[in-house]
Amino acid sequence: MTDNNSNNKAPEFIPIDSNCHDDRSNPIHHPPRKKTDNRASTFNLNSDHANLIGKHGGCPWRELRSKYDRGVIGLHQEIEDFHKYISPTSEEREVRNVVVLKMKKLIKELWPAAKLQVFGSFRTGLYLPTSDIDLVVIGKWNVQSQERLPLRTLEQAIYQHNLAEPGSVKVLDKASVPIVKFTDRLSEIRVDVSFNMSNGVKSAELIKKFKQRYPVLYSLVLVLKQFLLQRDLNEVFTGGISSYSLILMTISFLQLHPRQTALTPGANLGILLIEFLELYGKKFNYMKTAIRVSEGGSYISKEEVQKNMKDGYRPSLLCIEDPLNITNDIGRSSHGALYVKQAFEYAYIVLTQAVNPLNTLLYDPNKVSILGRIIRVTDSVIEYRQWVKQEFPFSKNPELMLNGSGSSDGENEEEPDTSPDSSAPGSDSDSSSSRGDSGINGISNANNAPWLNNSYYHRAGRGGMPTNNKHRRFVDNGTQGAQNGRGGMHQRPGRGGGNGHGGRGRTFSSRKRRKSRETEPINL
């Protein structure tokens, strides 16, 4: 604009005075930053492309098919291939079962009358390779009366039995749901342990029923979880939404979908994904509308939800009525829900342009991935999965795998839905025969398995040097049965290995050396 009474033009920008205290580097002006423990994060991908996806390209699922069709059909094909690729392998399922088994033994030792149960994504089967394991200890503690939970006792026991990576144990005793968090020392899997939260198990069983009802739910949730995970929007305390909220949003989307044919096993997943992103990225009214999945699903006003809430409670921005407790709002802590909305809107715009029939000459799906425009799998995740397959080859040792259908401690609890074909229509059965040996209860013949002792994984370093150094040397100095050489498995010496002197131990590292770890055997 120009001033009619003056020849001076209006300034194109307002200069900030050097004495101004407006700190534009303050994180409040930006979405959540990358978490250091998130292997899947693609934060700063444009400038750090070589380190994040430079080795494998970020789209490993495209190796499963030689040719993709154009448009939404090609997007559907890529979602199918991504589902097949990202689904847990036999080794990944078994190593999680072993982590659960060790925790069950620990809880039994600390509190004989207590019981450990699995809930969350591992129980429902909707987990990614880097997802954590959610456990709950059911005991005689009264949470409602603010009785002191034994969080510190569990923390000390985890340290004493050397189950966690050094410095990874955290006690969140001030949270709305007090938990103990740690990272398993052998498998590097994160574990969250809570107390007397029985609703978590009931919620997992409810989700498994919806998986049976909507065959397309599994594929959509895996893509959406990966989408939020790589943007650090998959947890409430990092500025995103919880996995449970995302699943309920997907269930509501399918319940209220105008085309019932879209819910059949042969429905186009590409169209459903774009419609989901359009709904929650552009059309859904977060200010006035709440989500209800019970009684067939519906949209309700927040004023109606508030009637059932406790006095003085106001519905959150992302308001989702708890299907198991109408007085609870699942999204009450999702203060960063607008970040998620903006991410969904961005993905909708990108995908609609990529599948537009007028742009098919510009966007060749056989040259540039359609799905890869919104999600990528980092090199760190790919290498971690390869490491798990090499270091924990349970599926290749049938005599060492978990088998049977009885519980090790006489408990008759529901098994996690971790079967490899659980995504197939009609295969999400609750019977133990449909899952074979993948559940946590299938451990009747595994109590004496060698992988339950840390010494099963011990690998000799250079000449069997002492522990606790930056090269991760181990205590087994070439004795019979140790991993003596490079890449050598137990009872097989590798390159340069032999009795009395070991070769270089094979370890996993993603661009940096891992922290040194204690290696004394677990006496469980």
Side-chain angles (χ1 to χ4, degrees):
M1 297 176 60
T2 57
D3 189 349
N4 295 331
N5 299 325
S6 174
N7 295 327
N8 297 329
K9 293 185 178 181
E12 297 180 358
F13 64 94
I14 300 176
I16 299 177
D17 183 65
S18 59
N19 296 325
C20 181
H21 298 286
D22 183 15
D23 184 7
R24 295 303 174 98
S25 63
N26 192 314
I28 195 173
H29 298 287
H30 303 280
R33 297 296 185 183
K34 175 183 176 180
K35 295 184 296 179
T36 56
D37 60 344
N38 185 4
R39 290 190 181 95
S41 176
T42 56
F43 177 78
N44 208 19
L45 176 63
N46 291 335
S47 60
D48 201 17
H49 184 278
N51 289 329
L52 292 176
I53 60 172
K55 186 175 181 180
H56 300 282
C59 301
W61 63 87
R62 289 174 61 84
E63 300 175 0
L64 303 178
R65 194 185 300 256
S66 59
K67 184 178 179 180
Y68 289 95
D69 294 327
R70 296 179 181 272
V72 291
I73 298 179
L75 178 58
H76 168 80
Q77 294 169 344
E78 286 205 51
I79 295 175
E80 285 186 325
D81 292 343
F82 175 80
H83 180 180
K84 295 177 183 177
Y85 171 79
I86 209 68
S87 296
T89 63
S90 300
E91 294 83 2
E92 291 168 348
R93 287 191 300 271
E94 293 303 327
V95 74
R96 288 172 178 266
N97 286 330
V98 171
V99 173
V100 173
L101 178 59
K102 290 192 294 185
M103 286 301 300
K104 291 183 73 172
K105 284 178 171 288
L106 177 61
I107 297 301
K108 202 73 174 178
E109 177 183 304
L110 293 175
W111 306 289
K115 183 170 65 172
L116 183 74
Q117 291 185 332
V118 182
F119 70 101
S121 61
F122 185 43
R123 192 180 187 100
T124 62
L126 299 173
Y127 62 96
L128 298 174
T130 59
S131 296
D132 56 6
I133 299 177
D134 296 308
L135 304 174
V136 59
V137 182
I138 306 297
K140 297 181 179 180
W141 307 282
N142 191 345
V143 181
Q144 300 298 332
S145 64
Q146 302 299 322
E147 181 179 345
R148 186 178 182 86
L149 296 174
L151 301 174
R152 298 296 176 181
T153 303
L154 180 59
E155 177 192 20
Q156 295 176 1
I158 292 173
Y159 274 126
Q160 291 173 357
H161 290 83
N162 201 19
L163 295 179
E165 284 189 345
S168 68
V169 183
K170 298 179 181 178
V171 178
L172 305 181
D173 52 355
K174 302 298 183 182
S176 57
V177 179
I179 60 175
V180 177
K181 302 171 67 74
F182 72 93
T183 302
D184 182 66
R185 188 176 61 83
L186 294 178
S187 62
E188 301 181 2
I189 295 175
R190 292 172 296 169
V191 182
D192 293 349
V193 185
S194 58
F195 289 83
N196 284 0
M197 301 301 297
S198 58
N199 280 345
V201 179
K202 296 177 182 178
S203 300
E205 294 304 313
L206 178 65
I207 292 175
K208 289 169 66 174
K209 293 179 181 179
F210 280 116
K211 278 181 61 181
Q212 292 179 341
R213 188 178 306 173
Y214 304 115
V216 297
L217 178 66
Y218 195 179
S219 298
L220 287 177
V221 168
L222 288 181
V223 172
L224 293 170
K225 288 187 71 171
Q226 177 67 27
F227 176 80
L228 295 182
L229 174 64
Q230 70 181 56
R231 290 165 174 80
D232 295 314
L233 295 174
N234 62 310
E235 291 179 319
V236 173
F237 62 87
T238 60
I241 62 176
S242 66
S243 175
Y244 190 38
S245 297
L246 177 65
I247 294 174
L248 292 181
M249 292 169 67
T250 310
I251 292 172
S252 174
F253 163 74
L254 296 175
Q255 285 178 325
L256 303 176
H257 200 285
R259 300 192 319 273
Q260 292 302 313
T261 56
L263 310 181
T264 59
N268 189 299
L269 297 172
I271 295 178
L272 289 176
L273 176 61
I274 293 176
E275 289 175 339
F276 177 92
L277 297 172
E278 180 184 24
L279 172 63
Y280 292 110
K282 294 178 69 67
K283 293 186 175 181
F284 187 78
N285 189 339
Y286 289 86
M287 305 302 295
K288 297 182 179 181
T289 310
I291 297 174
R292 172 182 287 173
V293 298
S294 58
E295 301 177 358
S298 62
Y299 295 135
I300 57 177
S301 65
K302 290 187 177 182
E303 288 77 8
E304 183 178 351
V305 174
Q306 191 172 3
K307 295 178 182 178
N308 299 323
M309 300 296 176
K310 298 178 181 179
D311 295 339
Y313 176 80
R314 298 182 62 183
S316 60
L317 180 63
L318 175 60
C319 183
I320 305 175
E321 184 184 76
D322 191 341
L324 301 177
N325 180 12
I326 61 174
T327 64
N328 181 36
D329 178 10
I330 299 297
R332 65 185 182 277
S333 301
S334 302
H335 305 296
L338 286 181
Y339 286 131
V340 177
K341 175 188 180 299
Q342 293 172 357
F344 285 159
E345 183 178 7
Y346 157 79
Y348 167 74
I349 296 173
V350 171
L351 289 183
T352 51
Q353 291 178 349
V355 301
N356 191 330
L358 300 178
N359 296 335
T360 54
L361 297 178
L362 298 177
Y363 301 124
D364 187 351
N366 295 301
K367 294 181 180 179
V368 180
S369 171
I370 300 177
L371 185 62
R373 297 173 186 273
I374 63 170
I375 63 173
R376 294 293 179 97
V377 180
T378 62
D379 293 344
S380 180
V381 172
I382 296 174
E383 292 168 2
Y384 172 72
R385 300 189 76 186
Q386 294 173 348
W387 173 77
V388 169
K389 187 173 184 178
Q390 293 172 1
E391 297 297 321
F392 309 96
F394 301 131
S395 62
K396 299 179 182 179
N397 297 277
E399 71 279 2
L400 300 180
M401 288 180 61
L402 305 180
N403 49 51
S405 58
S407 174
S408 63
D409 49 10
E411 299 169 3
N412 294 321
E413 64 183 47
E414 191 74 18
E415 300 176 27
D417 186 6
T418 58
S419 57
D421 58 344
S422 60
S423 61
S427 66
D428 188 18
S429 174
D430 290 339
S431 63
S432 59
S433 59
S434 67
R435 295 184 187 85
D437 51 19
S438 63
I440 63 171
N441 291 331
I443 54 178
S444 58
N445 298 330
N447 291 331
N448 297 323
W451 67 68
L452 296 182
N453 296 321
N454 285 2
S455 58
Y456 177 76
Y457 299 112
H458 285 177
R459 290 151 291 190
R462 295 177 180 174
M465 297 299 292
T467 60
N468 295 332
N469 57 63
K470 63 181 180 179
H471 296 294
R472 191 179 175 186
R473 295 167 179 139
F474 292 79
V475 296
D476 290 330
N477 54 351
T479 57
Q480 186 67 28
Q483 291 185 339
N484 296 326
R486 183 177 183 181
M489 299 306 297
H490 90 293
Q491 295 183 356
R492 288 190 296 172
R495 183 182 302 173
N499 292 338
H501 60 283
R504 169 178 283 185
R506 183 179 181 87
T507 62
F508 166 76
S509 176
S510 58
R511 305 193 305 273
K512 293 183 180 180
R513 291 284 186 183
R514 292 285 178 189
K515 298 178 180 179
S516 61
R517 299 170 184 169
E518 300 293 336
T519 55
E520 288 75 7
I522 299 176
N523 297 320
L524 292 180

